[in-house]
Amino acid sequence: MRVGIIAGSGSLPLALASTLTARGQTPFVLLVENEADPADFKEFPHEVIRITKVGRFLKTLARENCTHITLAGPVKRPDLKNLVPDMEGMKLLGRITGAARKGDDGLMRAITGYLKEKGFTVTGAHELAGDLVVPPGQLGKVTPTERDKTDVNEGIRIVKAVGALDIGQGAIIRDGYVLAVEAAEGTDGLLKRSADFAWDVRAGVFVKLSKPGQELKADMPTIGPDTVTLAAAANLRGIAVEAGHTLILDLKEAIRRADAAGIFIIGIDPASPL
Amino acid sequence: MRVGIIAGSGSLPLALASTLTARGQTPFVLLVENEADPADFKEFPHEVIRITKVGRFLKTLARENCTHITLAGPVKRPDLKNLVPDMEGMKLLGRITGAARKGDDGLMRAITGYLKEKGFTVTGAHELAGDLVVPPGQLGKVTPTERDKTDVNEGIRIVKAVGALDIGQGAIIRDGYVLAVEAAEGTDGLLKRSADFAWDVRAGVFVKLSKPGQELKADMPTIGPDTVTLAAAANLRGIAVEAGHTLILDLKEAIRRADAAGIFIIGIDPASPL
């Protein structure tokens, strides 16, 4: 088995390549042009490919003897009408144009289904690297207060609802009030703009859940040490993510920063509010 | 009758003061500290007051013989636990702390109810200045395409749903996909971050509706020429707002800019998708 990592932006692709390499594997990394930075992947066998060149993705994966594929890190939606796909890209495009109307998740399912048909085993990052998955319960030293728990529970209600609309995975709740909802801008964008509304005292929580029926193999919610730093900069009291359905990059460093900043991180079950 | 304008941020307070003055009235403007800029109101009788000094608001309104009050422009939620209210502020605070749990709208109702009890007539900006209200139908030269209409209709569905959750009033939809949802950051923030996702070709629409049961007297959706400029910068195809339930500041200039940029503005009825 050799793993091909299709690398979008963010830190997940690199964390995954490092984790697999540390275990003695040799993953091949296909960097999506303008999403992943080749400078980050100098140590790993890799190649940069334009997102529309689906035929080239398939050829490269075959050439490198990859049997498994994992999609890691977000890729911005290109304007499908203004791209020049290759032949395989055209075929895939025909399928995903319909699927995209069903939202992100329909799109991801169409892509993973296509890769399966081509003979690859599509594997989630969480299946390849279980130590990256958030466990249930309080992770650091800081315990949520009752007020925090109320905000987390309201966050669960809101994120479930916006998730069901296929809008996004996260929200910021402060004293029962929805400060920000995540859509295409991603978690970093969400937290950065919440800093504009920060009170002088810490208040509010960031809640992130997988969407109902989300294709976790392709698009699993992910946080990391930088999420903690941004949450602290937004003067939030803590972070609540779905245990078992969220990846955490560098758990140790994330906890160290959370403890240092005095904010909590908790793995929650959305079916059992706090 | 003399109108007291409680002025938050944005251009609405100034547009309202100008409209009333042009009609021969002399409104008194109470500028909420850190929200409205006193330099903008030099021509008008005004005073700057800290949001928590409710007693001072009431005294000033009485001193200036204001019989009517209108709340214009958004005010950021202060951290109620870290403010020093005056005596009337304490009383109001006791009432709105509970109301705020019912969301923005509960809060606004509590405030307008309180002002009514104090003997003032609370009037919506749209009641004072009907020429600021968006009429139904296409406003400029540009007509939405079928693809635009599909996005507008999807926007209606999404904004109704997030409005019912008391999250916000607006969203950006592009090819059926929710690019961004408005919460506390407001329309400008929403449009600015959407520019980060702009395609090279124009695509996507901005949809803004009042929330179900929203207190329009206090918090009516508002757009203006700058909304058009930001929508054009985000490379959107157009703007759809709720006719009769949205204020437009400087309709002429907004249409001029929309026509120049080649984007549409349309007043819609959310009960009748396009």
Side-chain angles (χ1 to χ4, degrees):
Chain A
M1 140 176 180
R2 188 183 192 194
V3 176
I5 300 173
I6 298 182
S9 63
S11 313
L12 176 60
L14 189 61
L16 198 56
S18 303
T19 301
L20 296 178
T21 303
R23 278 196 210 147
Q25 300 187 24
T26 312
F28 189 85
V29 192
L30 297 89
L31 308 178
V32 177
E33 193 181 63
N34 297 325
E35 296 287 356
D37 183 354
D40 293 341
F41 293 88
K42 271 181 297 195
E43 300 168 42
F44 307 98
H46 70 270
E47 187 167 325
V48 179
I49 308 183
R50 187 163 300 175
I51 185 75
T52 44
K53 303 303 178 193
V54 178
R56 216 178 122 206
F57 276 96
L58 297 174
K59 257 183 228 161
T60 306
L61 288 162
R63 184 195 74 213
E64 297 292 333
N65 300 313
C66 294
T67 51
H68 290 61
I69 299 180
T70 188
L71 307 175
V75 172
K76 278 192 283 297
R77 275 190 184 218
D79 181 2
L80 301 176
K81 295 199 171 41
N82 288 279
L83 291 170
V84 186
D86 60 14
M87 189 79 83
E88 284 294 335
M90 291 291 283
K91 285 188 207 160
L92 178 55
L93 199 59
R95 286 167 59 164
I96 68 178
T97 304
R101 305 235 169 273
K102 292 172 202 145
D104 256 7
D105 210 54
L107 182 66
M108 279 303 171
R109 270 181 214 291
I111 292 170
T112 55
Y114 178 85
L115 291 170
K116 278 176 200 163
E117 278 173 32
K118 293 288 168 184
F120 297 100
T121 304
V122 181
T123 314
H126 59 300
E127 294 166 305
L128 289 175
D131 39 342
L132 293 177
V133 177
V134 172
Q138 181 182 323
L139 301 189
K141 284 183 194 155
V142 183
T143 306
T145 64
E146 286 309 308
R147 188 177 162 197
D148 296 335
K149 286 179 185 175
T150 305
D151 274 351
V152 169
N153 291 341
E154 176 64 2
I156 291 172
R157 186 179 79 88
I158 293 292
V159 178
K160 271 185 179 175
V162 301
L165 293 162
D166 204 17
I167 293 174
Q169 307 173 338
I172 312 270
I173 313 294
R174 190 174 63 196
D175 280 359
Y177 174 68
V178 183
L179 203 63
V181 169
E182 182 179 337
E185 77 279 21
T187 294
D188 288 6
L190 180 80
L191 290 168
K192 278 176 196 161
R193 78 171 180 270
S194 298
D196 294 341
F197 301 104
W199 285 339
D200 290 341
V201 289
R202 280 193 190 285
V205 301
F206 168 52
V207 177
K208 187 164 186 170
L209 307 175
S210 62
K211 287 182 277 190
Q214 181 170 356
E215 176 57 279
L216 296 176
K217 282 188 193 304
D219 180 28
M220 191 147 164
T222 304
I223 64 166
D226 290 348
T227 315
V228 174
T229 299
L230 288 169
N235 227 0
L236 298 178
R237 296 193 37 87
I239 296 170
V241 292
E242 187 174 353
H245 287 71
T246 308
L247 297 175
I248 186 160
L249 307 171
D250 202 344
L251 178 70
K252 258 192 184 166
E253 173 63 11
I255 291 175
R256 196 193 62 73
R257 290 194 199 177
D259 287 348
I263 71 178
F264 68 82
I265 308 181
I266 188 166
I268 55 171
D269 173 1
S272 307
L274 299 180
Chain B
M1 138 175 179
R2 189 182 192 194
V3 177
I5 300 174
I6 298 183
S9 62
S11 314
L12 176 60
L14 189 61
L16 198 56
S18 304
T19 302
L20 295 178
T21 303
R23 278 197 209 145
Q25 301 186 24
T26 312
F28 188 85
V29 192
L30 296 90
L31 309 179
V32 177
E33 194 181 61
N34 296 326
E35 297 288 354
D37 183 354
D40 292 341
F41 293 88
K42 273 181 298 196
E43 299 168 41
F44 307 98
H46 69 270
E47 186 167 327
V48 179
I49 307 183
R50 188 163 301 175
I51 183 75
T52 45
K53 304 302 178 194
V54 178
R56 218 179 120 206
F57 275 95
L58 297 174
K59 256 183 228 162
T60 306
L61 288 162
R63 183 195 75 212
E64 296 292 333
N65 300 313
C66 293
T67 51
H68 289 62
I69 299 180
T70 187
L71 307 175
V75 172
K76 276 190 286 297
R77 276 190 182 216
D79 180 3
L80 302 176
K81 297 200 169 42
N82 287 279
L83 291 171
V84 186
D86 60 14
M87 189 79 83
E88 284 294 334
M90 290 291 282
K91 287 187 207 160
L92 179 54
L93 199 58
R95 288 168 58 163
I96 68 178
T97 304
R101 307 233 169 274
K102 294 174 200 141
D104 255 6
D105 210 53
L107 181 66
M108 281 302 170
R109 270 181 213 291
I111 292 171
T112 55
Y114 177 85
L115 292 170
K116 277 176 202 164
E117 278 174 32
K118 294 285 166 185
F120 296 99
T121 304
V122 181
T123 313
H126 59 299
E127 293 165 306
L128 290 174
D131 39 342
L132 292 177
V133 177
V134 172
Q138 179 182 324
L139 301 188
K141 284 182 194 155
V142 183
T143 306
T145 62
E146 287 308 309
R147 189 177 161 196
D148 296 336
K149 288 179 184 174
T150 305
D151 274 350
V152 169
N153 291 342
E154 175 64 2
I156 291 171
R157 185 179 80 88
I158 292 293
V159 178
K160 271 186 179 174
V162 301
L165 293 162
D166 204 18
I167 293 175
Q169 307 173 337
I172 312 270
I173 313 292
R174 189 174 64 196
D175 280 0
Y177 173 70
V178 184
L179 204 62
V181 169
E182 182 179 337
E185 77 279 20
T187 294
D188 287 7
L190 181 80
L191 290 168
K192 278 176 196 161
R193 79 171 179 272
S194 299
D196 294 341
F197 301 104
W199 285 337
D200 292 340
V201 289
R202 280 194 190 285
V205 302
F206 168 53
V207 177
K208 187 164 185 169
L209 307 175
S210 62
K211 286 181 277 190
Q214 180 170 357
E215 176 57 277
L216 295 176
K217 282 188 194 302
D219 179 28
M220 191 147 165
T222 304
I223 63 167
D226 290 348
T227 315
V228 175
T229 300
L230 287 169
N235 229 0
L236 298 179
R237 295 193 38 87
I239 295 170
V241 291
E242 187 172 353
H245 287 71
T246 308
L247 298 174
I248 186 160
L249 308 170
D250 202 344
L251 178 69
K252 258 192 184 166
E253 173 62 12
I255 292 175
R256 196 194 62 73
R257 290 194 200 177
D259 287 349
I263 71 178
F264 67 83
I265 308 181
I266 188 166
I268 55 172
D269 173 2
S272 308
L274 299 180

